[in-house]
Amino acid sequence: MADAAAGADGAKKKGLTFADGPADTSTASRTSTTRVRIDVGGAAGGAEGGARPASTASSALTGLLKGSSSGAAATLQNLAAASSGGGGAAGEKRGSTGHARWSIARSGVFAYRSLGGMSNSFFLEKQGVVIEFGTAFTKVGFAAEASPRHIIPTPELNVSNRSGSAVSSTLLEAEWIDILERLLQKIFFHYLSVSPKDRRVIVAEPVFAPTHFRNALAYCLFKRYNVPSASFVIDLVMPLYLTGLHSGLVIDCGHTSSRVLATLAGVPVITAFRTADGGGHRIARTLAASIKAAAATNPKETVLASKILQTPKLAQDVMVQCCYATFSSPAGDGLPEINFKSENSVNVVVEKGGETITVPAASRWQCCEHLFKDIPNKSEHEQLLIDEGCADIGACDSLVEAIVQCLENCPTDVRAAVIQNVLVVGGCASIRGLLPRLALECRAALSKIPAMATIADRIRFTPLDHTPVTAVWVGASILAHIDGGADISLSDYMEGKRLPDWSRDGFL
């Protein structure tokens, strides 16, 4: 690996700078966050035409590349700090201001939340319940809080009726009612311990949530649990509330696929929505298969590798501990080559009993290539995911391709606004090295397209002070505490008022 100082200096001269800039206090004061921007191109500036001073200090990249090939653990730890905006000394220093402000706010306004058995608010109005439904996990908690109370595994939501490899359909409304009634009972009475009759509910739902699912959810909320009102919001718009800006490009690296959506002035550009055929489930499956193949000569590890392959939770745990995305910058103009890749294999603790298994050096990064490019034997992987109900048919082959297509389908004047505030959220967003790899490949891909070459150097990635996996939920929590939301009340629903539907009503 190249020397840290030489690598950082080389990256800065090539146009890749990691800049710390102050928050836009006129619009972001409500979120109390410290903006940290990863700038590609070296030009200072911010979204929506507002200039933002940017430091050319490349301390994050220096920390990213610090260490030698023998110090793989330290190197990957620094990579996590630069990639996800947290972790390591640099990440703690960078996020200390924002977290301090949150602590001050919580100690003052939200103090009643820490009163043990009196947490149902005898002092302020009862906060609404915020629910984010996902294909693998559902996040639940209360409005105006900085993190969800519980993250619940919900595999029952990842179901569909498939006819072969090209046709799929959602469940019927009656089937969804049966599933959601049991799930909401656990959420209200077991996890949150509240009565739904006096709690407003905010639901963060996918852009293309099935109509049967939405109708079944509304039926359960209003007719089974008598909630006073409910609000349905698009999940990929919510992370923008953490930045204080109303325009941006949100990339969700999820369990079964990755999704990309552009939003301008709070209005999502639905026609530009794209998905990429790669997610955490596929990465974990590929990693488990490669570990099993490498352990073929060791009987003890072969048994453990087979167990990992058959248990998705164990495969995901191993992925979180050792996987990363490699990236490189070629030499040129007298500058050395920057190549981030570890040649060391690692021993990973698989279970509480202390059993360990060896993960080959190549397996640690090769499984993450699903996010960036087409892979060999793709048909075999697709059939496996179809059998497990985790395939996203018709998606782009790579995450970069989905981003480029999303921008191509945006109006010309929208592209320049959204590309300067790119947010990466979701469970796979914390993969070390993901942000630098995306920054380099997106700039290279956009530079090859004449219509977008002029905005290639204006792309800006905005790391979040909050954990990326909870960014959608936290954004919905902030929105739920703001007056003026478009809710549907219990009386409206009983009178037959239809649910808000963008495909029917639009946004304007």
Side-chain angles (χ1 to χ4, degrees):
M1 183 173 298
D3 180 76
D9 183 66
K12 182 170 66 176
K13 292 181 180 180
K14 287 177 179 293
L16 174 63
T17 62
F18 294 75
D20 298 341
D24 186 349
T25 55
S26 63
T27 57
S29 59
R30 78 169 72 96
T31 61
S32 299
T33 59
T34 301
R35 295 184 60 79
V36 183
R37 306 187 68 80
I38 297 182
D39 296 347
V40 178
E48 302 154 21
R52 300 182 186 279
S55 169
T56 58
S58 53
S59 58
L61 185 59
T62 303
L64 179 71
L65 301 173
K66 188 180 297 181
S68 62
S69 59
S70 60
T75 302
L76 295 182
Q77 183 177 3
N78 292 330
L79 183 57
S83 181
S84 61
E92 293 178 3
K93 182 178 180 181
R94 185 166 54 243
S96 59
T97 305
H99 291 303
R101 293 174 181 172
W102 268 107
S103 299
I104 294 173
R106 289 177 63 82
S107 64
V109 180
F110 305 144
Y112 71 95
R113 284 289 178 208
S114 62
L115 295 180
M118 301 177 65
S119 62
N120 284 336
S121 176
F122 288 94
F123 306 97
L124 299 177
E125 66 179 38
K126 295 181 179 180
Q127 299 298 324
V129 173
V130 181
I131 305 175
E132 178 198 347
F133 291 104
T135 55
F137 297 92
T138 294
K139 304 169 189 67
V140 299
F142 295 104
E145 292 194 342
S147 62
R149 291 291 183 96
H150 299 279
I151 300 179
I152 312 164
T154 49
E156 62 268 27
L157 298 181
N158 188 26
V159 292
S160 62
N161 297 322
R162 290 192 177 271
S163 301
S165 60
V167 179
S168 65
S169 62
T170 184
L171 300 181
L172 299 177
E173 186 172 329
E175 296 174 303
W176 277 123
I177 290 175
D178 184 53
I179 294 173
L180 291 172
E181 183 178 4
R182 294 195 301 268
L183 177 59
L184 291 173
Q185 182 180 17
K186 290 192 298 183
I187 290 175
F188 288 126
F189 301 115
H190 176 69
Y191 290 106
L192 299 181
S193 300
V194 297
S195 172
K197 294 182 178 180
D198 52 8
R199 297 280 179 169
R200 175 190 178 212
V201 176
I202 299 88
V203 178
E205 60 176 0
V207 178
F208 292 104
T211 302
H212 290 326
F213 176 85
R214 301 178 81 248
N215 292 339
L217 179 59
Y219 179 89
C220 291
L221 289 174
F222 289 116
K223 291 195 173 182
R224 297 292 173 87
Y225 295 102
N226 295 321
V227 299
S229 64
S231 178
F232 294 84
V233 296
I234 294 181
D235 55 358
L236 293 187
V237 179
M238 296 301 102
L240 294 177
Y241 284 88
L242 303 180
T243 68
L245 302 173
H246 52 61
S247 299
L249 187 72
V250 178
I251 305 167
D252 175 30
C253 300
H255 179 67
T256 59
S257 63
S258 299
R259 303 175 297 153
V260 185
L261 179 65
T263 300
L264 179 70
V267 179
V269 186
I270 301 298
T271 56
F273 176 78
R274 289 295 181 274
T275 60
D277 192 12
H281 182 81
R282 173 170 287 187
I283 294 175
R285 291 284 307 191
T286 305
L287 176 64
S290 63
I291 292 175
K292 184 178 180 180
T297 58
N298 189 328
K300 183 179 179 180
E301 287 198 351
T302 300
V303 174
L304 190 56
S306 299
K307 187 176 182 180
I308 294 175
L309 187 61
Q310 297 171 5
T311 311
K313 184 179 182 301
L314 293 180
Q316 293 168 11
D317 289 343
V318 174
M319 179 188 74
V320 170
Q321 293 183 62
C322 68
C323 289
Y324 68 97
T326 182
F327 67 93
S328 62
S329 179
D333 299 329
L335 300 175
E337 178 183 5
I338 302 174
N339 185 24
F340 186 85
K341 183 185 295 184
S342 174
E343 301 298 335
N344 297 335
S345 58
V346 295
N347 293 324
V348 177
V349 178
V350 177
E351 294 181 328
K352 295 182 179 179
E355 291 185 276
T356 62
I357 193 169
T358 301
V359 181
S363 300
R364 298 172 59 193
W365 61 268
Q366 286 179 348
C367 60
C368 296
E369 294 300 301
H370 285 288
L371 297 174
F372 299 102
K373 61 184 178 182
D374 199 1
I375 60 171
N377 303 321
K378 183 178 179 180
S379 60
E380 297 179 8
H381 288 275
E382 283 184 343
Q383 187 59 49
L384 176 63
L385 295 179
I386 288 172
D387 295 339
E388 296 179 352
C390 295
D392 192 359
I393 300 172
C396 299
D397 289 332
S398 71
L399 182 55
V400 175
E401 179 184 348
I403 295 171
V404 172
Q405 288 191 12
C406 179
L407 291 172
E408 284 181 324
N409 284 274
C410 288
T412 304
D413 55 340
V414 174
R415 298 171 186 170
V418 301
I419 202 173
Q420 298 183 72
N421 186 34
V422 181
L423 304 176
V424 184
V425 302
C428 294
S430 297
I431 292 178
R432 290 158 286 193
L434 179 65
L435 290 186
R437 174 74 175 270
L438 272 181
L440 291 168
E441 293 204 2
C442 285
R443 184 180 65 174
L446 293 173
S447 299
K448 297 177 182 178
I449 303 175
M452 291 190 289
T454 56
I455 64 172
D457 290 337
R458 300 172 67 180
I459 187 170
R460 302 289 185 270
F461 283 77
T462 306
L464 302 171
D465 284 340
H466 293 271
T467 308
V469 72
T470 63
V472 171
W473 187 95
V474 176
S477 173
I478 295 173
L479 175 64
H481 205 60
I482 300 174
D483 295 331
D487 291 10
I488 178 171
S489 65
L490 176 60
S491 59
D492 289 338
Y493 183 82
M494 292 302 183
E495 292 172 1
K497 183 179 179 180
R498 295 186 296 182
L499 296 177
D501 188 352
W502 65 264
S503 63
R504 182 187 65 240
D505 306 325
F507 286 95
L508 299 178

